[in-house]
Amino acid sequence: NNYAPMKILNEEQLDIFMKAIQREPMWHDFFYTEITTGLRLGEICGLKWSDLDENTGKLKIQRSVSHARGGGVVAGEP
């Protein structure tokens, strides 16, 4: 495993972060969803509004986005 240890915000850091994202409407939904769901980066970047069922509040994780060899981005199975 070549991954660095996960860094987790403490309560004070989380409060500061939540206040900061409230000031940025464009990023609020993205970061709030990331923090509250535990989705991987590729999964959250692969979300589309159509993946959200507003009636039930359920979110379908149907794709994951990653860097393609040679450049660009590719969507695949999560």
Side-chain angles (χ1 to χ4, degrees):
N1 185 337
N2 294 330
Y3 298 106
M6 191 181 302
K7 295 179 183 177
I8 299 173
L9 300 176
N10 64 35
E11 207 169 316
E12 181 182 352
Q13 292 168 325
L14 183 58
D15 286 342
I16 292 167
F17 184 77
M18 295 302 289
K19 287 176 185 169
I21 66 172
Q22 288 175 346
R23 293 190 304 260
E24 298 290 337
M26 183 175 94
W27 290 106
H28 178 269
D29 293 341
F30 178 87
F31 285 116
Y32 184 80
T33 301
E34 183 180 29
I35 286 175
T36 59
T37 63
L39 292 174
R40 295 179 181 98
L41 180 61
E43 294 168 339
I44 196 165
C45 290
L47 288 174
K48 295 181 178 184
W49 282 110
S50 59
D51 297 332
L52 174 64
D53 183 332
E54 293 184 62
N55 295 323
T56 64
K58 292 186 179 184
L59 188 61
K60 292 181 186 176
I61 310 306
Q62 303 187 81
R63 72 199 64 72
S64 182
V65 176
S66 61
H67 293 282
R69 290 186 183 181
V73 177
V74 63
E77 294 290 321

